[in-house]
Amino acid sequence: DLRRVQTVLDERDAKLRALVDRVRDYAIFTLNTEGRISSWHAGAALMKGYPAEEAIGMPYAELFSADERAAGRPAHELQIAAATGEYKGEGRRLRKDGSSFEAAVVLTALRGPRGDLLGYLKLTQDITERKRMERERDAMLREAQEAHRQAERASRAKDEFLATVSHELRTPLSAILGWAHVLERGVFDAETVRHGLAAISRNARSQGQLIEDLLLSLIHI
């Protein structure tokens, strides 16, 4: 009976290993209670660059950058997983050649029937491309928002410009029309006529200059 149970367990373990070894998009490996790598599957070798014979027995902390090791990040993740059952997070991880990549990680505590800690299961996903696309999307969104703000500022500036031009053009025109209306109403002494004609001439020249300035400004836009 014991041999039969052991055979079933061995077959189940072999099937599980075969299934895990076919996974290429995730680095899957286990740690012992001391934080050393105890198993290392094909996806981990592909992602991290360490062959199994080199990775097994290696301290888990060596997969982190020197700064993260100094900050106690590896021990912190193990503590969280041991205390709560699981740690999830994102961060930068190292490959054997020293290059880094952005990763999403799940560290799960493995416990026996009595709750005693047996080790940890670690899954790491390379999310470098996803993060790059997110940054590009955010940059495009910021550019679109900035373009929208610039369009709003340009629209307000145009409205202010048109309001100013309208006011400046109406001022001399009002004076011209006012004096023309006055002079049409009757006969005045020569001084009043000269004063009115001078005002009309002065405001006509002023309006002509405004129109010329406006045309020049439109040419240079």
Side-chain angles (χ1 to χ4, degrees), residues 181-202:
H181 182 66
V182 168
L183 294 177
E184 286 175 350
R185 292 173 59 185
V187 178
F188 298 94
D189 59 82
E191 181 62 24
T192 300
V193 172
R194 282 196 301 272
H195 183 70
L197 292 175
I200 291 172
S201 178
R202 182 174 62 255

Side-chain angles (χ1 to χ4, degrees), residues 133 166 174 176 193 204 215:
M133 295 178 65
S166 176
S174 297
I176 292 171
V193 172
L215 291 175

Side-chain angles (χ1 to χ4, degrees), residues 54-98:
E54 186 176 347
I56 293 177
M58 185 173 69
Y60 162 68
E62 291 188 16
L63 301 177
F64 291 76
S65 67
D67 291 341
E68 289 182 323
R69 290 197 299 270
R73 179 70 177 271
H76 173 72
E77 292 188 6
L78 292 174
Q79 289 170 1
I80 295 296
T84 66
E86 186 177 76
Y87 170 85
K88 289 184 178 181
E90 295 182 358
R92 300 203 71 83
R93 294 294 184 269
L94 291 180
R95 298 186 178 90
K96 181 182 178 180
D97 62 7

Side-chain angles (χ1 to χ4, degrees), residues 89-91 101-105 125-132:
E90 295 182 358
F101 63 98
E102 295 180 88
V105 300
Q125 182 184 17
D126 186 344
I127 58 172
T128 304
E129 183 63 16
R130 191 188 81 191
K131 287 294 187 180
R132 182 189 65 79

Side-chain angles (χ1 to χ4, degrees), residues 140-212:
M140 292 176 64
L141 178 60
R142 288 193 296 271
E143 290 176 0
Q145 291 173 339
E146 179 59 26
H148 181 68
R149 286 192 291 268
Q150 290 181 0
E152 288 183 335
R153 287 195 293 268
S155 179
R156 288 194 297 271
K158 182 190 71 174
D159 291 342
E160 293 171 357
F161 174 74
L162 291 176
T164 301
V165 169
S166 176
H167 173 74
E168 295 296 332
L169 290 176
R170 287 176 183 276
T171 299
L173 181 60
S174 297
I176 292 171
L177 293 175
W179 274 108
H181 182 66
V182 168
L183 294 177
E184 286 175 350
R185 292 173 59 185
V187 178
F188 298 94
D189 59 82
E191 181 62 24
T192 300
V193 172
R194 282 196 301 272
H195 183 70
L197 292 175
I200 291 172
S201 178
R202 182 174 62 255
N203 282 283
R205 287 193 301 271
S206 177
Q207 189 170 52
Q209 185 63 49
L210 285 171
I211 293 173
E212 184 178 348

